[in-house]
Amino acid sequence: MQPASAKWYDRRDSVFIEFCVEDSKDVRIKFDKSKIDFRCVGGTDNAKHLNELDLFDAIDPNESKHKRTDRSVLCCLRKTEAGKSWPRLTKDKAKFNWLGVDFNNWKDWADDSDEDLSSFDKFSDMMNNMGGDDLPELDGVDEHEPADSDDEKMPDLE
């Protein structure tokens, strides 16, 4: 058995782990309060995969779920303490070569506040409402003249 490659990310009330196994079969996942046990057969060579993780903090096994697709198995681990950030997935600080951070879904929500989010929304709306007609005039630029000599037509090749 070999570990399946996986990536994870943190949210306020859940932690997500995606086990990247294509065409997985016989998927078995056991959620415990402080552990997760992932097993399956998959890939082009029908390899047997096993991942056992001692989690950084406690989860609610009854509220944790998983979803299998043709490309991966996504697990949603419900935190027992919502709002508490996980600096890493595992209890130990050990690095696993099969485990990485899912930067496409990562969000540093611990620093966010409702005020910051509303300010961001206002800024985003302002940027969307800006038009191109209000651009300042540039001194020394005439819109009817070419910007430089490179814009002139080149002679035809013979």
Side-chain angles (χ1 to χ4, degrees), residues 141-147:
V141 176
D142 186 355
E143 63 185 51
H144 300 292
E145 291 182 19

Side-chain angles (χ1 to χ4, degrees), residues 3 12-14 18 23-24 33 39 42-43 53 57-58 61 71 76 126 140 153 155:
R12 286 193 191 280
D13 59 350
S14 302
E18 183 176 15
D23 300 322
S24 58
K33 188 172 181 166
R39 298 169 190 259
L53 294 167
D57 208 346
R71 304 204 70 183
C76 174
M126 180 182 74
K153 185 176 181 196

